[in-house]
Amino acid sequence: DTEVTQTPKHLVMGMTNKKSLKCEQHMGHRAMYWYKQKAKKPPELMFVYSYEKLSINESVPSRFSPECPNSSLLNLHLHALQPEDSALYLCASSQAAEHEQYFGPGTRLTVT
Amino acid sequence: GQQVMQIPQYQHVQEGEDFTTYCNSSTTLSNIQWYKQRPGGHPVFLIQLVKSGEVKKQKRLTFQFGEAKKNSSLHITATQTTDVGTYFCAGLGTNAGKSTFGDGTTLTVKP
């Protein structure tokens, strides 16, 4: 099973809402990532978890809060977002930080 | 910080023509990975290169890693409409602990 799943596929939220994005992999990978991707741009790294511990935070605003409940799950909690946060949010996993990454299909987020 | 530049930004070809995208890093890389993202899709891993001067082939795709491990290329022979998408390189710096994506090359193929 080389699949990374993400829910929901689409999300529309107001600037005062609180929502969460979920990601799951069952490949036994020990590194998991959150990326933000705007149209016609490359994926922009937000967070990296290695062995369930946050190893990289790319100076992401605190309105984005990651969580890794266990080695298979990765969440991204959203609160008080801005319209410019509208983007495709991609989750990825890899065997280790230097290995190839497997991406999920993403959550298309619109902030109104 | 590490920068990864990719050229060209866009490439339009007639079906059957060849295509090449180039990736250049400001620092020496431990490895380089290539991904393809179809329109409306997500990045899909194609290949990883690790050794200096390494060349790998996947059917019509040829990947090269430069001798200095600072540049790489992806060449597609006789493009097909199924090759349409954006090709990204991602370079892992020797001390970075994370890969940096290039800006991507978007390929369109006219039948």
Side-chain angles (χ1 to χ4, degrees), chain A residues 35 37 40-43 45 56 58 90 98-101 103-105, chain B residues 10 31 33 35 37 41-43 45 48 88 92 97-98 101-103:
Chain A
Y35 288 89
Q37 187 177 32
K40 300 189 187 303
K41 293 291 186 183
L45 184 65
I56 294 176
E58 292 287 271
L90 293 161
E98 65 272 19
H99 288 232
E100 68 270 19
Q101 297 178 37
F103 284 81
Chain B
Y10 298 98
N31 68 44
Q33 298 162 357
Y35 296 83
Q37 186 171 18
H42 58 276
F45 172 73
Q48 176 170 287
F88 293 104
L92 178 66
K98 60 177 182 178
F101 277 78
D103 284 343

Side-chain angles (χ1 to χ4, degrees), chain B:
Chain B
Q2 181 190 4
Q3 288 186 315
V4 176
M5 292 140 288
Q6 205 173 336
I7 56 170
Q9 189 176 0
Y10 298 98
Q11 185 81 59
H12 311 282
V13 300
Q14 193 78 32
E15 189 173 20
E17 291 180 338
D18 292 356
F19 159 77
T20 305
T21 173
Y22 301 90
C23 188
N24 292 287
S25 170
S26 57
T27 60
T28 303
L29 301 171
S30 293
N31 68 44
I32 194 154
Q33 298 162 357
W34 285 92
Y35 296 83
K36 177 183 178 181
Q37 186 171 18
R38 287 198 161 97
H42 58 276
V44 174
F45 172 73
L46 294 177
I47 208 152
Q48 176 170 287
L49 304 170
V50 178
K51 298 176 184 175
S52 169
E54 190 169 16
V55 178
K56 286 189 177 180
K57 294 191 176 185
Q58 287 180 350
K59 296 183 181 178
R60 295 178 295 104
L61 278 59
T62 301
F63 304 84
Q64 295 190 50
F65 202 8
E67 294 290 340
K69 299 184 72 173
K70 294 181 73 174
N71 57 73
S72 181
S73 64
L74 157 59
H75 179 82
I76 302 178
T77 304
T79 54
Q80 300 175 358
T81 54
T82 52
D83 295 325
V84 162
T86 300
Y87 292 85
F88 293 104
C89 62
L92 178 66
T94 51
N95 296 312
K98 60 177 182 178
S99 292
T100 300
F101 277 78
D103 284 343
T105 296
T106 299
L107 173 65
T108 56
V109 179
K110 189 174 181 181

Side-chain angles (χ1 to χ4, degrees), chain A:
Chain A
D1 182 6
T2 57
E3 191 179 23
V4 175
T5 58
Q6 287 187 246
T7 55
K9 288 187 178 180
H10 300 276
L11 179 61
V12 179
M13 59 186 291
M15 289 189 284
T16 58
N17 291 160
K18 282 187 181 181
K19 296 286 184 183
S20 296
L21 309 185
K22 297 185 182 303
C23 174
E24 191 168 6
Q25 58 88 15
H26 294 287
M27 294 178 276
H29 288 173
R30 305 318 299 260
M32 295 187 76
Y33 312 75
W34 280 114
Y35 288 89
K36 173 184 178 180
Q37 187 177 32
K38 292 275 206 180
K40 300 189 187 303
K41 293 291 186 183
E44 180 185 339
L45 184 65
M46 300 174 72
F47 303 103
V48 181
Y49 273 83
S50 183
Y51 290 87
E52 300 165 48
K53 287 188 174 14
L54 183 65
S55 60
I56 294 176
N57 176 344
E58 292 287 271
S59 302
V60 179
S62 60
R63 56 186 185 270
F64 295 91
S65 176
E67 179 196 17
C68 190
N70 60 55
S71 60
S72 300
L73 293 173
L74 188 65
N75 298 323
L76 186 63
H77 303 297
L78 314 173
H79 173 56
L81 294 194
Q82 304 297 311
E84 58 265 29
D85 296 322
S86 298
L88 179 67
Y89 286 83
L90 293 161
C91 172
S93 71
S94 65
Q95 197 170 7
E98 65 272 19
H99 288 232
E100 68 270 19
Q101 297 178 37
Y102 292 85
F103 284 81
T107 294
R108 180 76 58 186
L109 174 67
T110 303
V111 181
T112 61

